[in-house]
Amino acid sequence: MKARMTNPAYVLPGALKGIGTIFQAVNDSGLPQELAEIVGLRASQINGCGACVYGHVDNLRKAGTSEERIASVVAWHEAPYYSDAERAALQLTEVMTRLADRSHESVPDQLWDEVADHFDEKELSGLILVISLTNLFNRINTTIKEPAGTTWG
């Protein structure tokens, strides 16, 4: 399988620069890198982005994350491998990613309060941005049919 076109972030250098700046801000937020990859994996699973699922799994393996944690992200509700903070972040990921099929406010106050109990404002900012960036890339990659196995950087 071949992508329909070069990733737009590479076609438009200003876009890549802006995205890189946001990624640097996320990295500086104090949000643990493993958690950023886990929520990125979950958003990518929901959106059916094979390229991003592959990339997040690859990054998690390289970082030494257990296969149980990686394989169970899709079923995190039932899996014992995640902390309360990670569960709150995964729930936030799901509601931020599933905006179109909601029948209530996007992030209920109860969930917001739970997430805010686990992360300070900088970490929470990093979490919100990494979920948002993942959804951006999922939409780009599914549109251009970026194949799984693609690597960036």
Side-chain angles (χ1 to χ4, degrees), residues 23 36-60 73-74 90 93-94 96-98 130-142 146 148 152:
F23 270 123
E37 295 292 343
I38 286 171
V39 299
L41 175 56
R42 183 65 192 124
S44 300
Q45 290 169 336
I46 292 166
N47 289 322
C49 181
C52 288
V53 166
Y54 175 89
H56 291 296
V57 168
D58 188 52
N59 289 343
L60 285 163
V73 168
V74 71
L90 285 161
T93 301
E94 290 192 359
M96 285 181 63
T97 301
R98 290 187 168 125
V130 79
I131 295 165
S132 299
L133 280 172
T134 301
N135 278 282
L136 167 72
F137 279 113
N138 291 167
R139 282 151 178 76
I140 291 169
N141 290 332
T142 59
E146 191 75 69
W152 301 274

Side-chain angles (χ1 to χ4, degrees), residues 12-112:
L12 303 173
L16 191 59
K17 182 179 178 184
I19 291 165
T21 299
I22 295 171
F23 270 123
Q24 185 60 53
V26 170
N27 291 337
D28 294 343
S29 73
L31 185 72
Q33 184 61 38
E34 181 181 33
L35 180 57
E37 295 292 343
I38 286 171
V39 299
L41 175 56
R42 183 65 192 124
S44 300
Q45 290 169 336
I46 292 166
N47 289 322
C49 181
C52 288
V53 166
Y54 175 89
H56 291 296
V57 168
D58 188 52
N59 289 343
L60 285 163
R61 284 184 175 140
K62 286 177 183 173
T65 302
S66 74
E67 288 298 318
E68 291 84 6
R69 282 174 56 83
I70 296 169
S72 298
V73 168
V74 71
W76 67 269
H77 290 276
E78 294 81 22
Y81 309 113
Y82 308 100
S83 68
D84 289 343
E86 290 168 331
R87 289 177 183 286
L90 285 161
Q91 185 63 45
L92 182 64
T93 301
E94 290 192 359
V95 300
M96 285 181 63
T97 301
R98 290 187 168 125
L99 291 177
D101 61 357
R102 64 186 167 97
S103 60
H104 49 76
E105 64 182 321
S106 59
V107 179
D109 290 338
Q110 180 180 352
L111 174 57
W112 181 261

